[in-house]
Amino acid sequence: MRYLLIVLSFLMLFNCDKKKEVEKEKAEVPFVWEGANIYFLLTDRFNNGDASNDINFDRTQETGKLRGFKGGDIKGVTKKIKEGYFTDLGINAIWMTPVVEQIHGGTDEGTGVTYGFHGYWASDWTAIDPNFGTKEDLKTLVETAHNHGIRILLDAVINHTGPVTEKDPLWPESWVRTEPQCDYKSYENTVTCTLVKNLPDILTESNEAVDLPPQLIKKWKVEGRYDQEISELNAFFKRTGHPRAPRFYIMKWLTDYITEFGIDGYRVDTVKHTEPYVWQEFKALCDSAFAEFKKSNPEKVLDNNAFYLVGEVYNYGISAKKAFDFGDKKVDYFNNAFNGLINFEAKWNAAQLPMEEFFRKYSDILNSDLKGYGVLNYLSSHDDGQPFDPSRKKPFETANKLLLCPGASQVYYGDESLRLLVIEDTQGDATLRSFMNWEAIQSDAKTKAVLTHWQKLGQFRANHPAIGAGIHQMITETPYTFYRSYSKGGFNDLVVVGLNLPIGEKVIDVSKVYENGDSLKDAYSGHSSEVVNGKFTIHSDFNMVLIEKM
């Protein structure tokens, strides 16, 4: 009996050591922004973690369908991080719509009353809207995400304030313009104008010193933080030497979220509607703030990655490489500003190109003209009315084309759960912004099967930088198999993927990647085998393989 206990104890210790070795090995897989798997969610539409904050500022008017606050908040996102929802999906970064305080009133532009539930109608960049939560909530979210190996991207708006309403006065004319409205026919008529009617445009080109808007002064005094805000602004302008121009106030307020909370990056809104040098200035301030945070909080530093900026240059596509063409002027927004740009072209490529041509094109461009930078691919989004699969009839194909495509991937909330993008009686982009369908995830068999597929591909992508940031090479055309390779800083990653394979026995040529005797695993089925005569052979009930070295 004593001997048996000794053996059992030894086995337990061995298994613990083995587990630690596996965890250490996984921890050594570097996080690479160029191949990140980013989950994009509307903060108000994802998960309601605190029903007590659902109504604020008397936002009680009846709204157009899906145009009011629905209760989602920061606590709701944190809850799902703790539950492992994002980890199970292989998500290693979360992009949230802006959480700053929104205009208090609503607008009605023929779509019914609309409140700033989406976060893009700022009234006070220094405060978090109580509908989304508190600063303590945001601090907890970032810390929780980091403890799960997940980065946090907030959304930066410098281009405009929120609309003017009965409750929300116009900012001073030294801060904003209200005309002309953009016609998008030239560089000037895309930048020096208002995006739409009643969306005051920040004078980002101005270097003239301006006073604070009276409404902010009044608000801060009522809240008892006027002196503190003024002191911080004085210190910022003294330290940076920047003029007290409108854009630098906003940049100060946005970079505070870096130094105070340790966020990892910003998705930047309406990039092409602002002078390119503004983003170079913003990058320098973000980099400085991130360095300050890391110096002050060494125990909270995840890795050596720099602060990440990804820009929304509307209609930019990877085929343009570095230059966005306004028609009368070309601009390189990567230049000393953005690490990556959102790729509006991916949904078209996914629909029109054979998969090999699609993947090879992206790999070739990302490893030549855009080497050192990246693109963020999406197939559905919050403001693109022509998604790849609006009726959710092709969820498996969508996952394969998005999560296996070179570049970073943007999973729009509900891509993985068949959340519908066509909602009756909605107008405009509201149809894209329904509340997350948690009930279906719990009860619907088809939804569960789709979610499982996204989870398997997402985890494989997160575990292998080669998928998003590596070099693509086809092995065989029929059946379709390819490999990806990635090497940087002593880390090497090689994987093989096979699609449209036969159900049952599969014989995959892996001789270009692995050696005879190598132990390999199919991460999709969980089956493993050794390489024999350059072949990997397994039997599974699936038509694809995700092959990795054990």
Side-chain angles (χ1 to χ4, degrees), residues 160-448:
H160 57 80
T161 68
V164 179
T165 77
E166 290 182 0
K167 296 181 179 181
D168 305 280
L170 179 68
W171 286 45
E173 63 179 16
S174 59
W175 275 80
V176 299
R177 64 170 61 82
T178 55
E179 58 181 18
Q181 190 172 325
C182 299
D183 64 17
Y184 310 109
K185 294 179 180 179
S186 66
Y187 171 80
E188 183 177 354
N189 287 330
T190 302
V191 176
T192 314
C193 48
T194 68
L195 292 177
V196 294
K197 182 181 178 181
N198 193 21
L199 196 64
D201 184 68
I202 297 288
L203 302 178
T204 48
E205 78 278 15
S206 173
N207 286 315
E208 296 299 316
V210 296
D211 294 327
L212 284 165
Q215 58 264 47
L216 275 188
I217 294 174
K218 179 180 178 181
K219 177 177 184 289
W220 291 351
K221 287 183 175 179
V222 170
E223 294 172 351
R225 58 190 180 95
Y226 173 79
D227 290 339
Q228 178 65 29
E229 293 294 342
I230 294 299
S231 175
E232 289 183 11
L233 283 167
N234 289 340
F236 170 82
F237 286 114
K238 181 178 180 180
R239 183 179 74 252
T240 63
H242 287 308
R244 291 176 179 259
R247 68 184 185 276
F248 291 116
Y249 279 94
I250 299 174
M251 288 184 196
K252 186 272 178 192
W253 296 331
L254 288 172
T255 52
D256 281 349
Y257 289 88
I258 305 173
T259 52
E260 186 171 350
F261 303 101
I263 65 170
D264 304 280
Y266 268 121
R267 176 269 190 185
V268 182
D269 187 61
T270 57
V271 166
K272 73 176 184 180
H273 302 286
T274 301
E275 298 77 15
Y277 60 80
V278 170
W279 307 122
Q280 295 174 342
E281 295 166 339
F282 187 50
K283 174 179 171 54
L285 289 170
C286 286
D287 288 347
S288 176
F290 201 44
E292 181 183 341
F293 173 81
K294 286 185 171 183
K295 183 178 179 180
S296 302
N297 303 274
E299 75 286 355
K300 296 182 180 179
V301 175
L302 288 177
D303 53 37
N304 293 322
N305 278 301
F307 192 78
Y308 180 66
L309 285 182
V310 60
E312 181 224 21
V313 178
Y314 203 85
N315 281 337
Y316 165 82
I318 191 172
S319 294
K321 299 172 184 176
K322 280 193 173 182
F324 181 81
D325 192 351
F326 285 88
D328 61 341
K329 182 176 182 176
K330 291 184 178 181
V331 176
D332 176 2
Y333 287 101
F334 292 96
N335 183 31
N336 292 322
F338 291 99
N339 305 91
L341 296 181
I342 294 174
N343 177 29
F344 288 79
E345 183 182 329
K347 63 172 188 174
W348 303 117
N349 296 152
Q352 297 167 359
L353 298 179
M355 194 171 286
E356 169 59 21
E357 187 178 342
F358 178 33
F359 290 168
R360 187 180 69 250
K361 172 182 178 175
Y362 279 48
S363 176
D364 288 349
I365 294 175
L366 289 167
N367 286 287
S368 57
D369 298 89
L370 290 181
K371 191 170 182 62
Y373 298 97
V375 294
L376 179 56
N377 302 314
Y378 74 88
L379 297 185
S380 64
S381 187
H382 66 316
D383 57 5
D384 189 328
Q386 297 178 296
F388 174 72
D389 181 25
S391 299
R392 303 297 196 188
K393 294 179 180 178
K394 302 180 287 186
F396 295 92
E397 180 184 345
T398 301
N400 293 349
K401 289 182 173 178
L402 177 65
L403 298 178
L404 295 176
C405 185
S409 52
Q410 173 194 305
V411 179
Y412 185 44
Y413 78 107
D415 280 349
E416 76 283 12
S417 62
L418 302 175
R419 182 183 66 84
L420 292 180
L421 300 174
V422 179
I423 309 295
E424 289 187 9
D425 300 323
T426 56
Q427 294 189 43
D429 50 26
T431 192
L432 307 168
R433 303 175 177 184
S434 59
F435 205 84
M436 182 65 175
N437 56 333
W438 294 113
E439 185 176 333
I441 289 175
Q442 295 296 324
S443 60
D444 183 68
K446 182 179 179 182
T447 301
K448 290 180 180 180

Side-chain angles (χ1 to χ4, degrees), residues 23 35 46 308 323-324 413 477 507:
E23 290 175 348
F46 186 66
Y308 180 66
F324 181 81
Y413 78 107
E477 185 173 2
V507 181

